[in-house]
Amino acid sequence: MSTTSGLQVLSPGVGYAIVIGIGGFFAALMLGITYLQNRYTAYSTGQSEEFNTASRSVKPGLIAAGIVSSWTWSATLLTSSTFAYSYGICGPMWYGAMGTFQILLFSLIAIKIKANAPGAHTFPEIVMARHGKIAHATYLFNGLATNMLVGACLVLGGSQVVAALSGMNVYAACFLIPLVVAAYVIAGGLRSTFIADYTHTVILFIAIFVFGFTIYATSDVVGSPSRFYDLLMEASEKMPIAKNYEGSYLTFKSVNGLVFAIDLLVAGFSTVWLDQAYWQRAIASRPETSIKAYLLGGIAWYGIPYGFATAMGLGCAALTSSPTFPTYPNPLSEAQNGAGLSSPATAIALLGKSGAALMLLLLFMAVTSSTSAELIAVSSLLTFDIYKTYINPSATSKRLVKISHYSIILYAVVLAVFCCILNAVNVNLTWLLTVLGVIVGGASIPVGMVLLWPRMSTIAAITAPWIGLAFGLTAWFVTTSKRSGAVTVATSGDATNAVAGNITSWGTGALIATLLTFLFPKKHSTTDPDSVARTNKINGIAPPSESTPTNLADAITSSSSSTKEKLSTPPSPSASTNDPTPTPLPPSLSPPQFPPMDPLLVRRGETLALTANLIFLVVAILLVPFSLFGTQYIFSRGFFTGWVVVSFLWVWCSMVICVVWPVVESRGALWGIGRGVWRDLRTGGGKGGKEGKEEGRAEV
């Protein structure tokens, strides 16, 4: 059975209309918003700092919405539903818990960036400041590899579903989606992606509410949690799940579900800690509110896979026996399920063609918002870590913006080609998500240690990712060969085979980084004035006015130990004797504009982040799921009803955080822009722009 059998209920024209038409609409919208921003606020997209970091001034509500939007991949909607359909009711909670835990943990990174590296644009810049150019190249490679794999998860998964529902050519979709998104990212830079994220998120919640109310309240087939429970009990008898307790969809005792959770944990570390998109949001946030943004963003995101997959993934199992199900009387094939078609099948069973169109719109919103974050992230890596570092260190702000534009186009084209190759060899979304941690997991813990652990040595930082990769690939291929008899796309994507490589890569990277730090504690040091000045700028410390620091290791240690102290190393005797004139700094290494965060706020933020992480770990990852797993409990009707109600209420809480809060906190800026537009309309373009800038300067 093909992946499109029974599921193509829309014409190819609908697919092209959504991809090109809505994509074009958003490009025009972003051009308009960019014009308003440049005219009525203090920020201009013609400046590199604004284009790549949104001038580090974005408020927490918009940051939280951006986190939710960029972490709501097509995989969040498709794969979470796939695992609900494959492993039962544990799937949505495992998916939500493991993904949210990564966001909450990253709040610790966010606070350290503001404290110890407030002048950084990318995470490889921070690595280079502490451990030199070899380490920089290592983490730049892992960062680009992560962005390529994450981008493939987004674009390939979305393209395959668009093709399945509408018959649109999958290769055309692979090219059109990233190129359409690139158009509006080029127009507005990072701040435009936040605004696009917000717009996408509004549409996302509308679609989720439509599906939720339909399946829980208005559907003739389901219509209530009680009827939903009855249908899942029937599905457990007709289609029992292997290695689930009594084959039930309503139990957490799922061996394969637990294996999947481990895979997702490792993949989550890789896709968050090595994805420049998340570092970029931390860099763009205001220092005093970065922790709040990440904590609330994590809580809000949890509701999406938990609420959506509970309804649409389990709904696929419940509706399989309904004549409205697209493959009735057969369940989804393994290929269809692996391609993430469980939730689209549920949408068709509930609402017919309207459901398919709404699902297509929902997925397009998820894909484009996440892809926009990847595009601007990769453009920052190529601009600051390749062009500015190795090609033109003295590049002007205007030149850097042009390079960012070129980089966005380059990445969009390369990503499209990569997705076409993966589709040609029958790789699907589930395979990518399952094995992602094997490939880049070895660097995921070390990159966090670079910022969180001051003792991290340079040898450890450089070698740990490569050793983790080598061991992970070995474990993955050996396990696949021994368990499955041959290494193929299908066998290598098996969850049990992949978990061996995931854990080995992730664990080895962390272990080697720790051991080598104690065995070889030496850190990178240089006397090159430009390198030391670059480190000072990244660390948010103004270089001395009369001398140039010469010891980079001392500079980093001083910055890490106390953000209160200014970095200042005495000039070397040779430098004083031979060249008493200070070395002038090129424009790219000018004194920093972003000082370190206040140490008192740092301590408060760290305490809040650690407390939130500990509570979430104990409750959402250990206590609730393992209590249900260990007791082999099969949900009763009342317990299932309560579970469904909580999942739906959580979606409402997520909506308030992501949709209502950003508007409330930015009401002053919106009012200022509105008044500026009104003045322009009355005066024919007179002083509205100038006065709007003055009002918007303190608000945006």
Side-chain angles (χ1 to χ4, degrees), residues 298-552:
I299 292 170
W301 182 83
Y302 182 87
I304 294 177
Y306 177 36
F308 182 82
T310 297
M312 304 299 283
L314 294 178
C316 185
L319 292 168
T320 300
S321 59
S322 170
T324 61
F325 195 73
T327 62
Y328 178 81
N330 301 313
L332 293 181
S333 68
E334 185 177 346
Q336 290 171 328
N337 189 36
L341 297 177
S342 55
S343 52
T346 306
I348 294 170
L350 290 172
L351 298 170
K353 289 185 177 181
S354 299
L358 183 59
M359 190 70 201
L360 205 56
L361 177 62
L362 176 63
L363 290 173
F364 185 74
M365 293 296 100
V367 170
T368 53
S369 61
S370 302
T371 303
S372 68
E374 297 303 311
L375 286 168
I376 197 72
V378 171
S379 78
S380 294
L381 292 176
L382 297 179
T383 299
F384 289 101
D385 290 287
I386 295 179
Y387 182 78
K388 187 178 178 182
T389 299
Y390 299 109
I391 299 175
N392 187 3
S394 59
T396 64
S397 178
K398 187 176 181 180
R399 180 62 181 170
L400 292 176
V401 171
K402 286 186 178 181
I403 296 301
S404 296
H405 291 170
Y406 299 150
S407 300
I408 288 169
I409 296 171
L410 175 64
Y411 174 63
V413 173
V414 172
L415 178 61
V417 173
F418 183 55
C419 289
C420 289
I421 294 171
L422 293 177
N423 186 75
V425 297
N426 295 319
V427 167
N428 60 35
L429 173 63
T430 304
W431 188 93
L432 281 171
L433 191 64
T434 303
V435 307
L436 193 151
V438 180
I439 301 171
V440 294
S444 59
I445 299 298
V447 75
M449 294 169 69
V450 167
L451 203 56
L452 297 175
W453 192 33
R455 292 187 62 176
M456 182 79 161
S457 72
T458 297
I459 290 294
I462 293 172
T463 58
W466 300 114
I467 296 175
L469 172 63
F471 281 31
L473 289 173
T474 302
W476 181 31
F477 289 139
V478 170
T479 303
T480 301
S481 177
K482 294 297 183 181
R483 287 189 72 251
S484 304
V487 179
T488 66
V489 171
T491 59
S492 62
D494 175 81
T496 304
N497 293 339
V499 79
N502 275 313
I503 291 178
T504 302
S505 180
W506 179 70
T508 301
L511 180 63
I512 293 297
T514 304
L515 290 177
L516 290 182
T517 293
F518 288 110
L519 293 175
F520 305 98
K522 186 177 180 180
K523 296 181 182 180
H524 170 72
S525 180
T526 181
T527 57
D528 176 61
D530 287 351
S531 296
V532 176
R534 181 183 294 109
T535 298
N536 286 349
K537 184 176 181 181
I538 290 172
N539 291 342
I541 300 167
S545 57
E546 297 182 358
S547 61
T548 304
T550 59
N551 191 312
L552 183 57

Side-chain angles (χ1 to χ4, degrees), residues 208-220:
I208 291 176
F209 284 134
V210 169
F211 288 129
F213 279 116
T214 300
I215 199 166
Y216 295 136
T218 65
S219 169
D220 294 333

